[in-house]
Amino acid sequence: MNISIITVGKLKEKYLKQGIDEYLKRLTAYAKVEIIEVPDEKAPEILSETEMEQVKQKEGERILAKIHPDAHVIALAIQGKMKTSEELADGIDKLGTYGKSKIAFVIGGSLGLSDEVMKRANESLSFSKMTFPHQLMRLVLVEQVYRAFRIIRGEPYHK
């Protein structure tokens, strides 16, 4: 299984990098996982609706350029479907069973994902109705992917 996590912006926080690196190391036993960072679009703090759409559009083009044509794309979005860890594991397991060996998780920038990225997505996933920093979502996502593989293999992991 090849998993890509395509995300907007560079991760600067050392504590998040350390946590992500730990889960990436653990994941090597289960899958090839890579994090692909695309540059965020520089913009002023206060934007009009049109400017926000332009930022999402530019970031979206960068994201789409990194998605493998055969990938099953899962966009992280507040309006996505909420799943339990077991449901996420079951979904990943079924993708592998049916020959989908490439999964791309997409995490947008601070303004979210463009309509084009959402149209390319095969599904959208929400971790909560709350808003989280997109940098923190990387850590939460890699932990949940690790947990999913532990569940798939029937290996113990704290609940």
Side-chain angles (χ1 to χ4, degrees):
M1 180 84 50
N2 292 292
I3 297 175
S4 300
I5 298 171
I6 304 168
T7 181
V8 174
K10 287 239 177 265
L11 189 60
K12 297 173 189 86
E13 294 82 359
K14 187 177 178 184
Y15 67 97
L16 290 175
K17 284 182 183 179
Q18 290 172 330
I20 290 166
D21 288 345
E22 176 61 28
Y23 284 109
L24 289 175
K25 186 174 77 179
R26 293 180 187 190
L27 276 163
T28 59
Y30 305 102
K32 181 178 177 273
V33 181
E34 68 174 330
I35 295 181
I36 301 167
E37 294 178 334
V38 300
D40 55 346
E41 187 64 23
K42 302 298 178 225
E45 196 68 30
I46 298 171
L47 299 168
S48 70
E49 195 67 38
T50 303
E51 290 169 323
M52 282 192 247
E53 286 305 314
Q54 289 171 341
V55 167
K56 289 196 304 187
Q57 178 79 28
K58 288 177 183 172
E59 291 174 348
E61 289 168 5
R62 293 176 190 141
I63 290 167
L64 290 168
K66 299 295 183 182
I67 296 174
H68 192 281
D70 296 339
H72 180 88
V73 179
I74 302 171
L76 271 61
I78 289 175
Q79 68 274 22
K81 184 177 193 281
M82 284 198 245
K83 296 183 178 187
T84 65
S85 297
E86 292 79 9
E87 289 170 335
L88 178 63
D90 186 54
I92 290 172
D93 192 35
K94 282 182 177 159
L95 287 170
T97 300
Y98 295 109
K100 282 285 186 184
S101 62
K102 292 180 180 70
I103 300 173
F105 288 94
V106 179
I107 303 172
S110 58
L111 299 175
L113 293 166
S114 69
D115 290 340
E116 291 76 16
V117 172
M118 293 305 291
K119 285 178 186 140
R120 172 59 181 90
N122 299 94
E123 59 183 295
S124 61
L125 177 65
S126 175
F127 280 82
S128 171
K129 290 192 183 300
M130 290 187 261
T131 302
F132 293 101
H134 55 281
Q135 299 91 339
L136 179 60
M137 281 314 301
R138 292 188 203 191
L139 176 58
V140 173
L141 177 60
V142 293
E143 187 280 332
Q144 283 298 304
V145 171
Y146 172 69
R147 183 182 296 267
F149 279 106
R150 300 284 296 189
I151 291 168
I152 290 165
R153 296 260 182 101
E155 297 170 352
Y157 192 61
H158 59 84
K159 295 181 180 190

